[in-house]
Amino acid sequence: MHSSVREIPLSSEPDSSYFLRVDESGRGLAYGFQLLLSDGRHAWSGEASEASVRQEAAELEMSTEKYVQDLREALTGEAGVHSYRFALAPATPDGALTLTYDKVQKDISFRLGSTRLGPVTEPEQIVGALLTRSLERATSLERHNRELREHNLRLRREHVRSGAELERYASGKEALEAELYARFLHVLNEKKAKMRGLRQTLEQLREAGSGEKRERAAEEAEGDAVAPPPPPAVASSGGARSPGPCDDSLIDLADVAPSRKRHFRRRPGALEAAVERAHASRSDSPAAASQQQQPAAAAEEVEDLFEDL
């Protein structure tokens, strides 16, 4: 069973102090609870059943969960964000009181519920139980506060350690970035130098190739300019033929007639054979018909031949 103790102000008695103890059932306020009220000299106790809790929620047209949440804030003061007001109804002849609790929102208030409390015959025991419960609660809160302080100290130490570790990582990261950047610049400069060298080599090769082309073109031009003209063709009686470079007998034309004269002197019948060959060559040529029609021209040629002989 969960229990809580709190001090409540009463609107009907603003100068007095009352202490309210709430004992929840094992399953929560929604399944009923017990109230114990005391002013230090007297004590009253009462009980609210599960049916009464659900009935009050239905009368307020609220869900049970929402009603139990507001009821917990009013009776125990846990996580209370709203204002609540308590009042005690006049005592009945048997000494019983009615505790009412209202919820105040701005200028509007509505009643959450009420519980009938009967007088306790031995209020000293109730007061002692309240004091004991208050001490237990105080001890529990003090232990919880101590645990929270220790936890906060651990978190602070962890925060300091994490901050130092983070600074160390940050400095290491900066050093690593600087080293990597320096390596990158070194590699980049080497690549640039290599590219410049390759570009210079390529330009030199291009210049050498262009120089060779120019030299070859100049040599070809010089060869064309120095080349001798082709030798002229020399016509003969049997047709035109080109003499070779070693044919020196055709160059000296002045010696032809004496050689022929010496030849005819050695052979007395050569003149007649030459005349017959000349007639045969003229008859086999394509212009033989025209030459036969011109006997005067043939006679002149024979006379020229005799003159040469």
Side-chain angles (χ1 to χ4, degrees), residues 148-163:
L148 290 177
R149 285 194 298 270
E150 293 176 356
H151 184 65
N152 289 335
L153 289 176
R154 288 195 300 271
L155 291 178
R156 190 175 292 108
R157 288 194 296 268
E158 185 69 19
H159 176 69
V160 173
R161 187 188 65 81
S162 300

Side-chain angles (χ1 to χ4, degrees), residues 78-231:
E78 296 179 359
V81 293
H82 302 285
S83 299
Y84 297 93
R85 184 170 55 193
F86 297 89
L88 282 176
T92 58
D94 56 356
L97 299 175
T98 302
L99 178 65
T100 59
Y101 26 91
D102 302 339
K103 182 177 182 179
V104 181
Q105 291 181 336
K106 296 182 179 180
D107 297 335
I108 301 174
S109 63
F110 60 93
R111 179 163 297 178
L112 283 176
S114 60
T115 303
R116 186 176 182 276
L117 304 176
V120 178
T121 56
E122 297 179 354
E124 296 81 4
Q125 296 179 358
I126 300 300
V127 173
L130 289 174
L131 292 175
T132 302
R133 176 59 186 163
S134 299
L135 290 175
E136 291 176 353
R137 180 63 176 171
T139 303
S140 176
L141 292 175
E142 184 179 358
R143 183 173 60 253
H144 183 64
N145 290 335
R146 184 170 60 252
E147 293 175 355
L148 290 177
R149 285 194 298 270
E150 293 176 356
H151 184 65
N152 289 335
L153 289 176
R154 288 195 300 271
L155 291 178
R156 190 175 292 108
R157 288 194 296 268
E158 185 69 19
H159 176 69
V160 173
R161 187 188 65 81
S162 300
E165 195 75 11
L166 183 61
E167 291 180 358
R168 185 172 66 84
Y169 288 155
S171 60
K173 174 178 173 294
E174 293 177 357
L176 181 61
E177 288 180 351
E179 182 180 359
L180 293 176
Y181 185 70
R183 292 182 180 180
F184 173 74
L185 287 180
H186 179 67
V187 173
L188 183 61
N189 292 332
E190 288 184 352
K191 294 294 183 182
K192 289 182 177 180
K194 188 174 182 180
M195 291 176 65
R196 286 194 296 269
L198 293 175
R199 189 178 294 109
Q200 293 177 359
T201 304
L202 181 60
E203 291 178 356
Q204 293 176 359
L205 292 176
R206 287 179 178 175
E207 292 177 357
S210 60
E212 291 179 357
K213 289 181 179 179
R214 286 195 298 269
E215 292 178 358
R216 190 180 297 110
E219 292 177 356
E220 292 178 355
E222 291 177 358
D224 294 340
V226 178

Side-chain angles (χ1 to χ4, degrees), residues 294-307:
Q294 299 176 0
E300 290 177 358
E301 289 181 359
V302 172
E303 291 177 358
D304 293 338
L305 179 61
F306 279 107
E307 289 177 358

Side-chain angles (χ1 to χ4, degrees), residues 234-236 243 247-260:
V234 179
S236 63
D247 194 359
D248 297 334
S249 61
L250 297 179
I251 298 174
D252 192 3
L253 301 178
D255 298 334
V256 173
S259 63
R260 288 180 179 178

